[in-house]
């Protein structure tokens, strides 16, 4: 993608979200920032629009190999914007449409061929936690906390946590977190496998950047195929999952990137994709 196209995409993300989402691309890494620090990065429809525009735009740039998602200010995200939600829940049709938009947005992030890393500092609550669950990897600050707080207020975690969380941690653990609203610290989140790494608070973004650059040296097509295989096999019987994996493997192993890898292996050099 040319500098002009990158500039256009960054402006489109900013304008479509009313400045609530910012995009920066320094290939091979794109950084998406939720930019509502005065609202603790509460997620409303404008934020979701900005994320959607960023993710779909990044997919059109083959030089981008990883995406970092972060929050501005003192936290990753306090969750969904309850001002917007409370105005919708009385109308089941409108609220259902809102949930459709939310779920479609998270699925775009979840299913993107570009792997994503949530860089979490401060806290990620409720909808903020749901957003991290749609990412492939999570880096957490040592003093950060995670939690789904819906149950504390008699609300339903309708952004996908009832389905994603039990796939990330043991179902009994997921149900406890969802039904009590209990927040957990970084050490517990790491022990549960809910995050990949815990680092000092000041190092969260730097660690996410290092992870993104590692991914950036790999084949984008190869990582996209691996990600697709993991997703397509989830919840399927093993024989069905392996059959789905085989189809993806056959396609990728005939690709230019695979040929580049074979050539590098034979010549004992590092492949450049």
């Amino acid at each position: 993608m040319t500098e002009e196209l990158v500039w256009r995409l960054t402006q489109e993300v900013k304008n479509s979200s009313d400045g609530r989402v910012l995009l920066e691309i320094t290939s091979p890494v794109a950084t998406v920032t939720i930019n509502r620090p005065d609202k603790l990065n509460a997620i409303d429809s404008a934020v979701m629009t900005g994320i959607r525009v960023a993710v779909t735009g990044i997919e059109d740039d083959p030089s981008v190999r990883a995406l970092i998602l972060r929050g501005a200010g003192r936290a990753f995200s306090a969750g969904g914007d309850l001002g917007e939600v409370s105005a919708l829940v009385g109308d089941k049709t409108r609220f259902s449409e809102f949930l459709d938009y939310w779920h479609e947005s998270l699925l775009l992030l979840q299913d993107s061929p570009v792997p994503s890393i949530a860089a979490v500092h401060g806290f990620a609550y409720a909808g903020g936690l749901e957003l991290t669950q749609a990412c492939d990897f999570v880096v957490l600050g040592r003093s950060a906390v995670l939690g789904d707080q819906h149950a504390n207020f008699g609300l339903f975690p309708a952004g996908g946590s009832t389905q994603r969380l039990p796939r990330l941690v043991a179902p009994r653990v997921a149900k406890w977190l969802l039904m009590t609203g209990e927040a957990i610290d970084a050490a517990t989140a790491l022990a549960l496998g809910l995050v990949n790494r815990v680092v000092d608070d000041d190092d969260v973004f730097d660690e996410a950047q290092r992870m993104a650059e590692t991914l950036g040296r790999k084949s984008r097509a190869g990582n996209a195929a691996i990600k697709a295989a993991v997703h397509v096999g989830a919840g399927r019987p093993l024989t069905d999952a392996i059959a789905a994996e085989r189809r993806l493997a056959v396609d990728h192993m005939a690709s230019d990137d695979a040929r580049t890898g074979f050539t590098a292996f034979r010549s004992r050099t590092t492949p450049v994709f």
Side-chain angles (χ1 to χ4, degrees):
M1 189 177 290
T2 65
E3 289 186 6
E4 181 181 356
L5 290 176
V6 168
W7 181 84
R8 287 182 182 177
L9 178 58
T10 57
Q11 291 302 116
E12 185 180 359
V13 170
K14 182 178 180 180
N15 294 338
S16 67
S17 66
D18 195 26
R20 296 175 186 183
V21 177
L22 303 176
L23 172 65
E24 180 181 0
I25 298 177
T26 306
S27 296
V29 182
T31 301
V32 177
T33 303
I34 305 174
N35 188 41
R36 298 187 77 192
D38 56 323
K39 299 291 186 182
L40 296 175
N41 297 321
I43 304 166
D44 62 2
S45 295
V47 170
M48 279 299 180
T49 297
I51 292 173
R52 290 170 73 111
V53 172
V55 170
T56 55
I58 288 166
E59 290 179 8
D60 291 334
D61 185 351
S63 71
V64 175
R65 308 288 177 85
L67 179 158
I68 297 173
L69 182 62
R70 67 188 304 201
R74 64 188 183 91
F76 179 79
S77 175
D81 189 322
L82 291 186
E84 181 178 43
V85 173
S86 63
L88 295 171
V89 291
D91 185 325
K92 291 184 179 181
T93 299
R94 291 180 64 205
F95 184 55
S96 181
E97 291 171 348
F98 169 83
L99 289 181
D100 286 344
Y101 194 72
W102 181 288
H103 289 306
E104 289 166 2
S105 301
L106 292 193
L107 284 172
L108 282 173
L109 177 62
Q110 174 185 296
D111 296 338
S112 172
V114 180
S116 53
I117 304 167
V120 180
H121 70 292
F123 50 80
Y125 290 142
L129 177 62
E130 290 172 330
L131 188 55
T132 71
Q133 292 170 49
C135 292
D136 296 296
F137 311 103
V138 181
V139 180
L140 191 60
R142 209 170 300 281
S143 69
V145 292
L146 304 177
D148 187 287
Q149 297 194 316
H150 290 95
N152 294 336
F153 303 96
L155 305 177
F156 188 94
S161 272
T162 64
Q163 303 307 307
R164 285 192 177 92
L165 195 56
R167 289 167 167 79
L168 293 169
V169 300
R172 286 178 177 172
V173 173
K175 284 188 289 186
W176 179 261
L177 295 175
L178 293 169
M179 296 169 73
T180 66
E182 181 178 292
I184 57 175
D185 61 19
T188 303
L190 184 63
L192 291 173
L194 195 53
V195 304
N196 295 87
R197 296 180 185 174
V198 172
V199 298
D200 291 340
D201 294 341
D202 292 339
D203 295 335
V204 170
F205 181 71
D206 288 342
E207 181 63 22
Q209 185 74 25
R210 283 191 287 271
M211 293 172 66
E213 289 172 355
T214 297
L215 292 166
R217 292 190 289 272
K218 311 304 178 183
S219 161
R220 172 166 152 163
N223 278 341
I226 291 170
K227 179 174 175 176
V230 172
H231 286 180
V232 78
R236 291 190 181 191
L238 181 59
T239 52
D240 291 349
I242 289 175
E245 178 199 67
R246 184 173 60 249
R247 289 189 291 273
L248 289 162
V250 168
D251 286 343
H252 178 72
M253 294 300 279
S255 70
D256 290 341
D257 279 8
R259 283 191 288 274
T260 297
F262 282 125
T263 300
F265 180 81
R266 285 192 293 267
S267 62
R268 297 184 179 182
T269 59
T270 300
V272 178
F273 299 105

